[in-house]
Amino acid sequence: MNKSKRPFTKSKRSFRRRLPPIQSGDRIDYRNMSLISRFISEQGKILSRRVNRVTLKQQRLITIAIEQARILSLLPFLNNQKQFER
């Protein structure tokens, strides 16, 4: 048997760990628009937890903050403006 052909060896690929989107010092608050706007799609929808790469607790806080900002009209409920290309 030839030792050079090992079918079940793991490849030693190095991967770069992604930085968390929310640092420990960031406050998830309806007034922190720079933070909140990162978690909203172009249509104005709240992005899912998988896409955001945040914990469940953080996602809940983000959702509450976005809803409060929408009620206070800091954020739009919908963004239906069509983008026309020329």
Side-chain angles (χ1 to χ4, degrees):
M1 189 170 189
N2 194 353
K3 285 189 175 182
S4 64
K5 291 186 177 180
R6 291 188 202 170
F8 299 114
T9 57
K10 283 187 176 181
S11 64
K12 294 188 178 182
R13 250 189 287 165
S14 64
F15 64 95
R16 203 173 127 232
R17 194 164 180 154
R18 290 187 56 164
L19 293 171
I22 299 176
Q23 270 66 33
S24 58
D26 288 339
R27 292 220 9 109
I28 303 173
D29 200 0
Y30 67 93
R31 291 170 287 182
N32 194 350
M33 297 304 295
S34 59
L35 179 72
I36 287 177
S37 58
R38 283 190 268 167
F39 303 107
I40 298 177
S41 69
E42 290 180 13
Q43 290 84 27
K45 295 181 179 180
I46 302 172
L47 294 174
S48 69
R49 204 179 130 218
R50 261 189 341 215
V51 176
N52 289 340
R53 300 216 181 233
V54 293
T55 62
L56 182 61
K57 194 173 186 178
Q58 288 172 335
Q59 180 70 21
R60 284 197 195 114
L61 290 171
I62 288 166
T63 303
I64 291 168
I66 290 171
E67 288 171 358
Q68 286 174 340
R70 284 176 174 168
I71 289 169
L72 294 170
S73 68
L74 299 173
L75 281 175
F77 280 92
L78 292 175
N79 192 5
N80 282 342
Q81 296 172 351
K82 302 280 187 237
Q83 300 292 328
F84 293 110
E85 293 181 16
R86 293 181 184 215

